[in-house]
Amino acid sequence: MTPTLRAAFWMTGAIASFTAMAVAGRAVSHALDTFEVMLYRSCVGVVIVVAVLVATRRQHEVRTSNLRLHLLRNAAHFAGQNLWFLALTLIPLAQVFALEFTSPLWVAALAPVLLNERLTGTRLLTALIGFVGILIIAQPWATGGLSVGVTAAGLSAICFALTALATRKLTRAETTLSILFWLTAIQLVFGVITAGIDGDIAWPTLALTPWLLLIGGAGLLAHACLTTALSLAPASVVIPMDFARLPVIAVIGALLYGESVGVSLIVGAGFIIGANLINLRAEHRSSG
C-alpha cells in the first residue's frame, strides 16, 4: 500500500471520529451543558492517554519545560471546543463543519503575527475568499445579524487556529503523547472549574455514559488519525481529504435530524474549501 493510500485510510478514521463526536455531542446536549461535556470528555481522555503512556513506558516524555505554552494552547482549545459543542445544538451540523474549515485560513492570517512568519499576498487573498464564504453561509443581511450558533462556530474556528499555532511550536520540542497528556490533564482542570463554578455538576446517567465515552475516545482518535496521516503524506494531500467530512455530515444531518442543505451553504463552503486549496498549493510551492 502506497503512503498516500495509507494516509487516506487514516483520514477515513479521522472523518468517522469527528462525525461520531458531533453526533454524540448533540445526543448529550439535552442533559449536559458544554462545560460538563468537556469535563467528562477530559476524564475519558486522561484515562486513555495515561494508560498508553504506562503501557508503552513513555512517561518520561511528559515534561513541564513548556507548561506555559501548554496552558495557553489548551485555554484556546477548551474555549474552541465548548463553542463547537454549543454550535452543534443551534445550527445544522454541515454549517458547523463548513465554518470550522475556516480554521486553516485563520492560521495563515495569524501566523505572521504570532510566529513571525512572512505575510504573503496569497495568504491575504485566501483570508478574504474565506471571509466571503463565511458571509455567504451566515447571511447576516438576511437575518438581521449573526446568529448565536454561527457566531459560536466562527469563534471556535479562530480558537482552533490559535491551538494549531501553539501546537506547531510545541511539536518542535514535545512528542505527540506529551501534547495529548497535557491536553487532557489541563482541560480536566478547566472542566472541573467551569462545570462546578455554579455548584451543580450533572452526573451522567447510564444512558448518557456510552455517548460520553464515544466523545472522549473519538476526540483522541481523530487527532491521532490526522497526525498519522500527516506523517505519511504532505498536508497538500491530506487536508483536502478532510473536506470529505462536509458531505458526510450533511448526509448524517439529513438522515438523523432532517436538516436540509441550502444553496448558500454549498456556495459558501465552496469558497472556504477553495481558499484552503489555494493556500495549500501556495505553501507546497514555497516549501518545494
Side-chain angles (χ1 to χ4, degrees), residues 2-282:
T2 66
T4 300
L5 286 177
R6 289 165 61 196
F9 168 80
W10 285 105
M11 281 307 298
T12 301
I15 291 167
S17 298
F18 281 125
T19 302
M21 189 165 62
V23 173
R26 182 171 283 188
V28 302
S29 63
H30 69 283
L32 303 173
D33 62 36
T34 61
F35 296 132
E36 290 163 343
V37 172
M38 287 298 294
L39 168 61
Y40 296 123
R41 174 191 171 173
S42 298
C43 288
V44 175
V46 165
V47 171
I48 294 174
V49 173
V50 170
V52 172
L53 283 167
V54 173
T56 57
R57 299 181 178 180
R58 295 170 62 183
Q59 302 96 311
H60 63 279
E61 294 183 7
V62 178
R63 301 181 300 169
T64 59
S65 55
N66 293 298
L67 188 55
R68 182 180 177 183
L69 186 54
H70 280 293
L71 284 168
L72 292 172
R73 174 188 185 272
N74 286 296
H77 190 270
F78 186 80
Q81 199 67 74
N82 272 285
L83 289 164
W84 190 78
F85 279 123
L86 175 63
L88 289 177
T89 67
L90 299 174
I91 58 177
L93 297 180
Q95 200 170 9
V96 176
F97 277 41
L99 292 170
E100 183 188 349
F101 285 144
T102 62
S103 185
L105 303 178
W106 287 112
V107 170
L110 294 172
V113 178
L114 299 179
L115 297 181
N116 294 319
E117 295 183 1
R118 188 168 61 91
L119 179 63
T120 64
T122 300
R123 284 182 169 179
L124 284 173
L125 175 63
T126 55
L128 288 173
I129 294 174
F131 184 68
V132 170
I134 294 173
L135 290 178
I136 293 172
I137 292 174
Q139 297 188 58
W141 56 83
T143 59
L146 295 176
S147 69
V148 175
V150 168
T151 302
L155 289 175
S156 75
I158 297 175
C159 289
F160 290 149
L162 293 172
T163 303
L165 291 170
T167 304
R168 187 182 295 181
K169 292 191 70 172
L170 282 170
T171 51
R172 298 169 185 170
E174 301 270 356
T175 65
T176 300
L177 265 181
S178 176
I179 292 172
L180 288 176
F181 170 79
W182 288 115
L183 165 74
T184 53
I186 292 174
Q187 294 198 17
L188 176 57
V189 176
F190 288 163
V192 170
I193 294 172
T194 53
I197 198 168
D198 61 354
D200 181 24
I201 298 178
W203 290 97
T205 64
L206 190 60
L208 292 178
T209 300
W211 292 114
L212 292 172
L213 290 173
L214 180 58
I215 289 172
L220 286 177
L221 183 60
H223 288 289
C225 288
L226 181 58
T227 301
T228 303
L230 288 168
S231 71
L232 294 168
S236 58
V237 174
V238 172
I239 299 304
M241 297 179 188
D242 192 35
F243 296 145
R245 269 201 286 151
L246 190 53
V248 169
I249 202 63
V251 171
I252 296 294
L255 292 177
L256 296 184
Y257 310 109
E259 296 176 353
S260 60
V261 178
V263 174
S264 62
L265 176 61
I266 295 173
V267 175
F271 270 81
I272 293 169
I273 292 173
N276 276 296
L277 292 175
I278 292 171
N279 189 55
L280 283 168
R281 186 173 182 181

